[in-house]
C-alpha cells in the first residue's frame, strides 16, 4: 500500500540538529526556513488559531512519495559529488568548489533522512543503486575534466530544480501549517540546487566535450532514476515511489 503509517502530526518537525549532530539552524545571516517558521509559531499566535483540518489519505500518500523520492534524489546527488571529489580532492581550484556544493547536499540528505524516519515513511529499497549510479556518474565525468564534471552538475541540478518546483506547486494546493514548513524546506533546497547550477555554468560547464549530448543524456538519466514528480508513469520513478 502506498500510504505509509505517518506520524500523527504528519510532518514536519525539522529538528534543531541533524541525525549526525550537524546543526540544522546555522548561525549565519540566512537561517534555516524551519527555524524561521518555528520562531513565528509563538504560543500567543498558535493558541488563537483553530486546529487545521487533517490531511486526507491521498495527501499523506503524496507527501510520503515526495519524501521518498527526495531522499533518493539527494542520495544520488551526494554520491555524484563524492565521485567528483575522489578525482578533484587535490585540485586547489576545483576541489573547494565541489566540496562546498557537496556540503550543502549532505545537509539536504540528512534533512530528508530525518523526515523519512520521523514520519515513518519507508525509504526506497534501491539505495545501493542510487549510490553506485551517482558515484559512477560523478567520477566518470570528473575523469573527463573539470568542464565535463560541471556539465554533469548543471544537468543534474537543472532536473532537481524542476523537480522541486513541481513539488512546490503541488504543496501550494494544501493549506496546512506542517505542509507550510515542508514548503519552506523544499524552497530553500531548490534555491541552493539552482545556485549549484549557476556555479557549474560559471566554471565552464558549456565548454565540456560533446556538451549538448552529454547534458541531454545526464538530464534524461536523472529524470528516469527518481526526479520528475509529475512523470510518475516512468518506470524508475514508479519504482522509487513504491519500492
Amino acid at each position: 500500500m502506498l500510504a505509509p503509517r505517518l506520524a500523527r502530526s504528519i510532518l514536519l518537525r525539522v529538528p534543531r540538529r541533524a541525525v549526525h549532530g550537524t546543526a540544522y539552524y546555522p548561525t549565519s545571516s540566512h537561517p534555516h526556513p524551519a527555524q524561521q517558521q518555528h520562531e513565528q509559531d509563538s504560543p500567543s499566535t498558535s493558541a488563537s488559531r483553530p486546529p487545521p483540518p487533517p490531511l486526507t489519505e491521498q495527501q499523506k500518500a503524496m507527501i510520503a512519495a515526495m519524501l521518498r523520492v527526495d531522499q533518493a534524489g539527494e542520495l544520488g546527488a551526494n554520491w555524484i559529488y563524492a565521485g567528483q571529489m575522489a578525482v578533484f580532492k587535490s585540485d586547489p581550484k576545483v576541489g573547494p568548489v565541489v566540496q562546498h556544493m557537496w556540503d550543502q547536499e549532505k545537509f539536504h540528505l540528512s534533512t530528508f533522512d530525518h523526515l523519512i524516519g520521523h514520519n515513518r515513511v519507508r525509504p526506497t529499497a534501491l539505495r545501493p543503486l542510487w549510490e553506485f549510479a551517482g558515484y559512477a556518474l560523478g567520477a566518470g565525468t570528473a575523469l573527463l575534466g573539470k568542464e565535463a564534471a560541471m556539465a554533469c552538475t548543471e544537468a543534474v541540478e537543472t532536473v532537481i530544480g524542476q523537480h522541486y518546483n513541481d513539488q512546490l506547486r503541488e504543496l501550494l494546493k494544501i493549506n496546512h501549517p506542517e505542509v507550510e514548513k515542508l514548503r519552506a524546506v523544499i524552497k530553500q533546497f531548490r534555491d541552493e540546487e539552482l545556485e549549484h547550477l549557476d556555479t557549474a555554468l560559471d566554471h565552464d560547464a558549456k565548454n565540456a566535450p560533446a556538451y549538448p549530448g552529454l547534458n541531454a543524456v545526464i538530464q534524461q538519466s536523472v529524470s528516469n532514476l527518481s526526479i520528475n514528480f509529475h512523470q510518475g508513469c516512468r518506470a524508475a520513478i514508479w519504482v522509487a515511489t513504491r519500492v
Side-chain angles (χ1 to χ4, degrees):
M1 183 176 180
L2 178 58
R5 183 187 175 191
L6 295 170
R8 188 172 181 178
S9 64
I10 184 153
L11 292 207
L12 279 150
R13 299 193 178 276
V14 179
R16 289 185 178 274
R17 293 193 175 275
V19 175
H20 301 296
T22 304
Y24 266 76
Y25 297 162
T27 56
S28 69
S29 59
H30 303 287
H32 192 286
Q35 180 188 23
Q36 295 172 319
Q37 184 67 43
H38 174 79
E39 291 169 347
Q40 293 168 5
D41 291 339
S42 64
S44 60
T45 58
S46 60
S48 62
R49 297 174 184 168
L55 296 175
T56 67
E57 291 303 312
Q58 183 180 8
Q59 289 169 337
K60 292 179 183 180
M62 181 186 71
I63 292 170
M66 285 182 178
L67 293 178
R68 185 178 298 116
V69 174
D70 288 349
Q71 185 200 38
E74 295 294 351
L75 179 68
N78 264 265
W79 282 91
I80 287 172
Y81 286 115
Q84 291 183 351
M85 277 303 296
V87 177
F88 293 131
K89 60 184 176 181
S90 299
D91 189 311
K93 293 184 178 180
V94 182
V97 174
V98 174
Q99 184 66 59
H100 172 70
M101 295 189 288
W102 189 17
D103 288 342
Q104 289 184 318
E105 297 294 351
K106 290 176 183 178
F107 174 62
H108 298 178
L109 178 59
S110 65
T111 300
F112 284 116
D113 282 346
H114 172 81
L115 292 175
I116 285 279
H118 177 76
N119 294 286
R120 292 175 288 194
V121 176
R122 181 171 48 84
T124 178
L126 300 179
R127 189 177 185 113
L129 173 61
W130 312 140
E131 293 176 354
F132 173 80
Y135 191 88
L137 181 59
T141 53
L143 288 171
L144 294 175
K146 179 199 77 172
E147 293 80 6
M150 292 298 168
C152 172
T153 296
E154 181 206 353
V156 169
E157 303 296 18
T158 296
V159 177
I160 292 178
Q162 293 168 351
H163 159 71
Y164 280 146
N165 278 333
D166 290 341
Q167 289 193 344
L168 288 170
R169 280 190 286 269
E170 294 297 326
L171 293 173
L172 280 170
K173 301 173 184 177
I174 304 174
N175 183 20
H176 193 284
E178 297 297 329
V179 175
E180 289 178 13
K181 297 176 186 179
L182 179 60
R183 285 203 302 266
V185 171
I186 290 179
K187 182 178 183 299
Q188 176 169 320
F189 290 179
R190 185 273 316 272
D191 292 346
E192 290 173 351
E193 304 292 1
L194 295 180
E195 274 183 25
H196 300 172
L197 190 159
D198 291 338
T199 298
L201 292 173
D202 290 342
H203 287 79
D204 303 320
K206 292 187 181 295
N207 292 335
Y211 167 79
L214 181 66
N215 182 278
V217 167
I218 294 173
Q219 283 200 36
Q220 187 61 43
S221 298
V222 173
S223 295
N224 285 338
L225 282 174
S226 64
I227 303 301
N228 196 325
F229 176 69
H230 280 299
Q231 295 184 359
C233 59
R234 291 185 178 185
I237 190 67
W238 189 94
V239 173
T241 56
R242 293 164 174 81
V243 174

